[in-house]
Amino acid sequence: MGKGGCVPPATDGGGSDGIAADAGVPVLEKEREERKRAEPKFYWADDEEPHRRRKQEILQKHPDLKKYMGIDPTTKFKVAFWVVFQLLSLHLLEDAPWHTWLFCCYSLSGSINHMMTLAMHELSHNLGAGGVTTNRILAIFANLPMGIPAAMSFKRYHMEHHKFQGEDVVDCDIPTEVEGWFFHSAPRKALWCFLQPLFYSLRPLAVNPKQPTRWEYVNILCIVVFDVTIARFWGARGLLYLVLGTLFGMGLHPVAGHFIAEHYVMNDGQETYSYYGPLNWLTFNVGYHNEHHDFANVSGRHLPDVRRIAPEYYDALPHYHSWVKVIWDYIVDDGISPYSRVKRVTLERREVEDLRARGGLVK
């Protein structure tokens, strides 16, 4: 793996028709080389994403890990508690001076609403309750105090991030060429961190747009009704407290360090990183990110158990203990930028278009 390096041809392990398989290889090679020439500053990988193979190895060695797969019944109670807590904070800060209000908006509302984005993440994997529909409803409920509809769209794109990690065009978690070109200096990278919620929400619309689904319209309707209700009882200031909390919490904020920590290449040859610090308590253990990508069907509550049972696979991997330091290093280190992401091309353009025409993996 390297920036602009040559990528060997992908092998086709499926099917018995060797002629058809061989005929497809040059097309994929040609498209891969075209993408690399167009965006040479990213890291380009010549192999598949690392998690599927590692999961198989770990399960062969530690089959007892299977007992941790499945839902966490406490998730719905955590979500309910923090949604109610946000509403209570609106009431308590109703007449607070502006500096107290602004401080709480950044620290309290920002942290809670970011926690709700990670509850949505947990629920996108159907780990909060039995049944897909129940998890969707819980995700929309967690989305309410954020003031901005996101849960259902996030689920659609996040499933593709897991199945096609690093896949050019498909994995919208990767910054665009324009982001890498413009946000290269320390001040601009700091601005990029501050504007992270903007890029996180709008990038998919530019890179891999999808036709909205019924559930996304339901999500929008629920948020609009909730926002109107908040404005009715707590005024514009109350609604602003929630929306700004979301923008602050996903921007230049300690908890938002996981956006960078998870997949930005800080150690050449590694594309996913874990964080083993105290902020995992607020984030459904999303810091255990290698463990999460290896076992996406294990709830955040039990990701530490994955590391405990299979330490030989995780302890030696470079990892973090501070998301604040991750943000600082990202901003001041000239060798790290939006280009510091791994890309790969394992799908031909026609396959990407077919996936898009079907509405993606999840509707």
Side-chain angles (χ1 to χ4, degrees), residues 61-233:
K61 190 172 182 180
H62 301 286
D64 51 324
L65 269 175
K66 294 180 180 179
K67 68 182 180 182
Y68 293 110
M69 297 177 181
I71 68 170
D72 175 6
T74 69
T75 297
K76 54 183 173 291
F77 300 114
K78 296 173 184 175
V79 170
F81 175 83
W82 288 111
V83 169
V84 172
F85 190 94
Q86 272 291 62
L87 295 178
L88 178 62
S89 67
L90 283 177
H91 175 70
L92 295 176
L93 293 167
E94 193 170 11
D95 298 316
W98 71 268
H99 50 83
T100 302
W101 180 90
L102 188 61
F103 173 78
C104 290
C105 187
Y106 178 85
S107 60
L108 186 62
S109 183
S111 297
I112 294 173
N113 278 359
H114 197 110
M115 192 189 312
M116 290 301 95
T117 69
L118 294 168
M120 286 160 35
H121 168 261
E122 187 88 343
L123 295 162
S124 73
H125 290 281
N126 301 318
L127 293 172
V132 175
T133 299
T134 305
N135 281 279
R136 288 182 187 270
I137 294 171
L138 283 171
I140 292 175
F141 181 68
N143 191 183
L144 292 179
M146 294 171 60
I148 301 170
M152 294 300 98
S153 297
F154 172 80
K155 179 180 176 72
R156 298 181 72 190
Y157 286 103
H158 188 66
M159 293 302 97
E160 293 180 356
H161 165 64
H162 271 265
K163 185 172 178 61
F164 303 108
Q165 180 176 312
E167 185 72 31
D168 191 33
V169 178
V170 177
D171 186 358
C172 294
D173 192 61
I174 300 174
T176 62
E177 172 72 18
V178 173
E179 290 171 73
W181 166 77
F182 185 79
F183 296 100
H184 56 83
S185 65
R188 292 186 183 186
K189 286 191 287 183
L191 177 62
W192 182 88
C193 290
F194 183 76
L195 296 176
Q196 181 83 301
L198 180 68
F199 293 117
Y200 204 76
S201 59
L202 297 183
R203 187 188 299 135
L205 302 180
V207 175
N208 189 16
K210 302 180 188 296
Q211 189 70 24
T213 65
R214 178 186 62 181
W215 276 103
E216 286 173 290
Y217 287 122
V218 170
N219 193 173
I220 293 170
L221 177 62
C222 289
I223 297 298
V224 169
V225 170
F226 184 82
D227 287 353
V228 170
T229 304
I230 293 296
R232 169 68 179 81
F233 287 98

Side-chain angles (χ1 to χ4, degrees), residues 19-32:
I19 297 176
D22 290 340
V25 171
V27 175
L28 187 60
E29 280 185 8
K30 180 180 178 181
E31 292 181 357
R32 181 187 293 123

